[in-house]
């Protein structure tokens, strides 16, 4: 029996666990329902109604979500 390494146990996994949304294979697909819902919520919470827009791609929605989360965190 070998002592197999379990990557789930790493506190900070290495590799490409985070990709820039512009590098996503599916980045040009329409944003998911979950992204739309979260983006709508964040846009309301940060008083940024223009941040939510129908027809965004997954990559665009992800970038906007990250921006709004940063705004939220900087106010905290």
């Amino acid at each position: 029996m070998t002592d197999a390494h379990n990557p789930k146990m790493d506190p900070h996994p290495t590799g490409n666990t985070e990709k820039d949304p512009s590098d996503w294979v599916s980045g040009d697909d329409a944003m998911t329902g979950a992204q739309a819902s979260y983006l709508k919520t964040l846009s309301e919470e940060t008083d940024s109604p223009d941040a939510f827009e129908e027809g965004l791609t997954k990559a665009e929605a992800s970038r906007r979500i990250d921006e709004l989360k940063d705004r939220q965190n900087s106010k905290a």
Side-chain angles (χ1 to χ4, degrees):
M1 179 181 226
T2 62
D3 186 23
H5 176 259
N6 183 348
K8 292 180 182 179
M9 301 303 291
D10 288 342
H12 303 286
T14 59
N16 63 350
T17 56
E18 285 192 34
K19 280 187 175 179
D20 184 306
S22 60
D23 294 333
W24 294 354
V25 172
S26 63
D28 290 332
D29 292 353
M31 71 177 150
T32 66
Q35 281 180 308
S37 176
Y38 191 38
L39 182 56
K40 182 70 172 166
T41 299
L42 286 173
S43 70
E44 291 168 354
E45 289 177 354
T46 59
D47 197 27
S48 307
D50 293 339
F52 179 80
E53 191 179 329
E54 294 288 339
L56 295 175
T57 66
K58 285 182 180 179
E60 291 167 333
S62 180
R63 280 190 217 94
R64 290 187 187 192
I65 288 168
D66 287 345
E67 289 170 10
L68 293 176
K69 284 173 44 180
D70 286 344
R71 278 191 213 171
Q72 248 184 352
N73 291 336
S74 68
K75 289 182 181 180

